[in-house]
Amino acid sequence: METVRIDEGFDRYEELLSLIRASFAYMDGRIDPPSSAHALTAASLNRKARDEIAFAAVAGRELLGCIFCKPEADCLYIGKLAVAPGRGKGVGRMLIAAAEETARDLGLPALRLQTRIELAGNQATFAAWGFVETARTAHPGFTRPTSVEMRKVLS
């Protein structure tokens, strides 16, 4: 298993889209508003990979996971962290490690991500990986918090 950069040579966006949708499928009916993963297309993923820094976890030709990273002023924002169902066993940690290395290379002192209020298991996993809750935010049109923001300060 290894982490590879999703760059201009990457041509497996339909497969990547399927992986993200499968990874996020358990959220259907659990989170409100629904996941933005539903709005993704192969073309929008291609643009996202060009606009951000993206990695895939692979074993041979098998896609096991992905992560998209966007530099911000004081951190690297993590989005669309996805692991193929049934393929846990370190894939997420490996992708977070790639994000940490990228942040350090860019001189950024922290990682930032958001997860949904309803997904306590995700919050616990991120906490186990060194992230701490820093805020609760609401999606447009909502008066209650819908997301938990978490940060990990890099040493």
Side-chain angles (χ1 to χ4, degrees):
M1 185 167 59
E2 65 179 324
T3 304
V4 297
R5 179 80 185 260
I6 297 175
D7 58 17
E8 62 279 344
F10 187 82
D11 63 356
R12 300 170 64 188
Y13 289 100
E14 288 290 345
E15 190 178 346
L16 187 64
L17 177 61
S18 293
L19 180 145
I20 291 170
R21 287 186 175 160
S23 174
F24 284 56
Y26 79 99
M27 298 177 195
D28 291 344
R30 291 183 63 193
I31 63 171
D32 187 31
S35 172
S36 62
H38 291 290
L40 292 173
T41 64
S44 68
L45 278 175
N46 185 314
R47 281 190 304 278
K48 189 172 179 62
R50 286 194 316 262
D51 294 343
E52 300 178 17
I53 302 164
F55 297 94
V58 297
R61 286 282 303 158
E62 185 180 6
L63 277 177
L64 303 177
C66 67
I67 192 169
F68 286 78
C69 308
K70 185 176 181 180
E72 296 181 338
D74 66 342
C75 65
L76 187 66
Y77 179 76
I78 304 303
K80 294 300 175 264
L81 171 60
V83 176
R87 299 300 294 197
K89 303 296 177 192
V91 174
R93 285 178 203 234
M94 188 170 70
L95 291 164
I96 291 291
E100 290 176 5
E101 182 178 341
T102 300
R104 286 186 183 98
D105 289 348
L106 295 172
L108 297 170
L111 300 180
R112 182 176 78 86
L113 58 79
Q114 291 182 308
T115 188
R116 295 302 187 89
I117 286 282
E118 300 92 342
L119 303 179
N122 284 11
Q123 294 165 42
T125 296
F126 294 132
W129 292 348
F131 287 83
V132 296
E133 181 178 331
T134 56
R136 292 187 175 214
T137 59
H139 283 77
F142 285 79
T143 57
R144 64 168 174 81
T146 55
S147 294
V148 175
E149 181 175 296
M150 303 181 83
R151 289 177 75 91
K152 179 178 184 178
V153 175
L154 304 176
S155 52

